[in-house]
Amino acid sequence: MPRNTSINADIRDARNELGARLRELRRAAGLNGQQLADALSWPGSKVSKIEHGNQTPTDDDVRAWCRTAGAEQEIESLLADLHTLETRHAEWQRQVRGGLARVQESVAKRESATRILRTFQSTFVPGLLQTPGYARARLEQSANVWGRRADVDEAVAARMSRQAVLYEPGRGFHFVIAESVLLFALCPPEAMLAQIDRLMSLAMLSNVRLGIIPFDTSYVIAPTHGFSLLDDRLVTVETFTAELNLAQPQEIKMYRKVFDSMALAADYDRKARTHLHRAAEQVGQRNNEREKT
């Protein structure tokens, strides 16, 4: 990873924050750096390097530090910090060097390890619900950003393969989308019509809930960006330059609160189908007007 990327700077900041927390525990225990190092049979420089963000501690380092400082209650929280330190951001640019299809395969592995998936989107149809036509348009847009058009066909196929997880027993899916998702011109009208029909079909699956937030809904929390909550262990957020992987307990708790708020604002079943039918009519009218011109 290039040294001057903002993502690398974020990792350095996170390492510094972790070191600062460990330093506070050491000081609270009345230990100086050399005393802690001696108690742990470490070189004296190791304590300093960790506290100043110049060295990333291991799991065992964190556990030993906390036990020596009499702060066992902090171990779980500090390990959560450590485990997300290097993986908090996964650069899209780095990922797509291996091709768009490889990105889809990586996402599929993550989804296959998830029992309950909750997704909110305010801009586009979630990948697990996309038709090939809609997926192709979305992936071509990504390819245009990164200049990687060679494997769009393979990426579409990989995204479609991901959807097999929808039919596996023991899994649950809750999707909430803003009504705007149905009307953004992110694909040709005929592809969007097929996509809306697909949403109607998937909403009938017993393990899938599809909620639609109408345009005239008053939001309690603004729909700032889309995200997915995988069980209660990970939140993923896509930006133009990165995928954020958030695993801190407080972050997961916050995103669960946001998702629950969006879910309460959404319409389901018959009302959701009404929104879908209305959107299909509007997209159809748009298509007719385009053909006339």
Side-chain angles (χ1 to χ4, degrees), residues 66-249:
C66 290
R67 290 179 182 129
T68 303
E72 290 88 346
Q73 72 279 4
E74 298 293 331
I75 291 177
E76 183 177 351
S77 176
L78 286 166
L79 287 179
D81 281 345
L82 177 61
H83 294 162
T84 59
L85 178 59
E86 300 293 347
T87 60
R88 185 178 180 89
H89 289 72
E91 274 188 299
W92 280 123
Q93 189 169 15
R94 183 180 62 188
Q95 289 189 35
V96 298
R97 286 176 188 152
L100 295 170
R102 182 171 295 180
V103 175
Q104 295 303 306
E105 293 166 359
S106 176
V107 175
K109 290 180 181 178
R110 191 168 58 206
E111 290 168 342
S112 67
T114 302
R115 309 308 299 178
I116 303 296
L117 177 68
R118 302 173 180 88
T119 296
F120 167 73
Q121 289 294 345
S122 58
T123 306
F124 49 82
V125 174
L128 284 177
L129 305 181
Q130 292 177 10
T131 62
Y134 188 96
R136 177 173 298 279
R138 288 287 300 123
L139 289 165
E140 286 179 347
Q141 289 157 9
S142 295
N144 288 335
V145 172
W146 295 108
R148 299 284 305 197
R149 300 186 58 83
D151 69 334
V152 168
D153 289 344
E154 292 83 354
V156 171
R159 181 166 289 185
M160 294 303 100
S161 295
R162 282 171 50 196
Q163 297 181 5
V165 75
L166 294 171
Y167 304 96
E168 294 180 1
R171 301 185 189 275
F173 303 88
H174 190 171
F175 301 97
V176 177
I177 62 175
E179 190 174 1
S180 55
V181 169
L182 305 174
L183 296 177
F184 279 132
L186 299 180
C187 65
E190 59 273 18
M192 194 65 218
L193 288 172
Q195 179 62 72
I196 292 172
D197 184 67
R198 174 68 169 161
L199 291 174
M200 291 182 184
S201 298
L202 290 175
M204 301 300 291
L205 294 177
S206 60
N207 64 332
V208 173
R209 291 194 72 200
L210 175 63
I212 300 175
I213 303 176
F215 277 117
D216 58 359
T217 295
S218 296
Y219 282 88
V220 175
I221 300 174
T224 307
H225 59 75
F227 61 89
S228 289
L229 180 61
L230 289 72
D231 295 319
D232 284 318
R233 59 182 173 82
L234 182 69
V235 174
T236 62
V237 182
E238 295 180 11
T239 73
F240 281 108
T241 58
E243 177 186 84
L244 313 185
N245 296 288
L246 312 178
Q248 289 294 325

Side-chain angles (χ1 to χ4, degrees), residues 267-275 277:
D267 289 334
Y268 296 86
D269 303 322
R270 181 180 58 80
K271 288 185 177 180
R273 288 192 292 273
T274 297
H275 298 314
H277 284 298

